[in-house]
């Protein structure tokens, strides 16, 4: 059994009511519950964390390093485009991770097309709404299986 961690950054606690035409109708707790169930069915455990504060996200990533988390799924939201601190935290713990976005950031404003973490991610999934998280979990589970084999 592996421990996985789903991290969501600023404003994603407002999913469901926040710009539904861009981010969809589903709430974050709905998405978290579904993903935790899927991970559980696959014999793993998914922990979830959301914060609007950069330093709390950095702390949670450090904690993951101490907890033997095997894989991180992370949607850093706006911090994707600004945060060297998050990049450095992910490098510090060296846990493989997938960068997730609900919207297709490459089809939006120019400032969203820069990511401080894409080049160090195992992969990037962007543009499928809440389904982006399901795709990311499926990819993470496949990676874990391949690493065990
Ligand atoms: C987002 C895209 C970011 O540009 C934006 O700041 C978000 C959400 C997404 O999931 O599409 O808050 O990460």
């Amino acid at each position: 059994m592996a421990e996985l961690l789903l991290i969501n950054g600023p404003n994603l606690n407002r999913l469901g009511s926040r710009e539904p035409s861009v981010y969809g109708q589903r709430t974050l707790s709905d998405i978290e519950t579904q993903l935790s169930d899927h991970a559980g069915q696959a014999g793993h455990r998914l922990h979830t964390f959301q914060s609007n504060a950069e330093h709390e996200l950095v702390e949670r990533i450090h904690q993951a390093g101490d907890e033997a988390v095997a894989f991180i799924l992370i949607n850093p939201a706006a911090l994707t485009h600004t945060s060297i601190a998050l990049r450095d935290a992910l490098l510090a713990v060296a846990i493989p991770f997938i960068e997730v976005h609900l919207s297709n950031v490459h089809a939006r404003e120019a400032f969203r097309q820069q990511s401080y973490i894409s080049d160090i991610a195992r992969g990037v999934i962007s543009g499928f709404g809440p389904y982006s998280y399901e795709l990311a979990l499926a990819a993470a589970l496949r990676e874990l299986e391949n690493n065990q084999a």
Side-chain angles (χ1 to χ4, degrees):
M1 186 190 76
E3 310 283 337
L4 295 94
L5 174 63
L6 170 64
I7 298 179
N8 279 284
N11 301 304
L12 293 170
N13 55 317
R14 307 293 291 179
L15 282 183
S17 60
R18 173 195 183 197
E19 299 181 81
S21 60
V22 179
Y23 298 116
Q25 311 271 356
R26 288 180 59 195
T27 64
L28 183 58
S29 69
D30 178 27
I31 293 167
E32 287 175 339
T33 302
Q34 185 194 22
L35 255 66
S36 299
D37 288 351
H38 278 189
Q41 283 156 19
H44 301 296
R45 186 157 52 192
L46 180 90
H47 305 269
T48 62
F49 183 75
Q50 188 278 329
S51 177
N52 295 321
E54 185 177 29
H55 72 279
E56 289 183 0
L57 296 164
V58 168
E59 296 287 358
R60 188 63 189 89
I61 291 166
H62 291 175
Q63 194 187 322
D66 297 335
E67 287 171 349
V69 167
F71 219 101
I72 293 175
L73 312 178
I74 183 166
N75 182 350
L79 294 172
T80 308
H81 319 300
T82 62
S83 180
I84 298 169
L86 273 188
R87 175 189 178 87
D88 285 348
L90 289 161
L91 284 171
V93 297
I95 297 170
F97 72 91
I98 297 175
E99 176 185 346
V100 185
H101 300 285
L102 295 130
S103 63
N104 178 355
V105 288
H106 298 287
R108 301 183 64 192
E109 301 96 322
F111 62 82
R112 293 188 204 277
Q113 290 169 40
Q114 159 157 344
S115 165
Y116 277 97
I117 64 167
S118 292
D119 63 309
I120 57 166
R122 181 66 189 82
V124 181
I125 298 175
S126 179
F128 297 97
Y131 189 47
S132 289
Y133 291 98
E134 292 179 54
L135 291 169
L137 178 60
L141 295 178
R142 176 68 66 89
E143 291 282 297
L144 290 170
E145 268 172 34
N146 288 349
N147 290 345
Q148 273 164 15

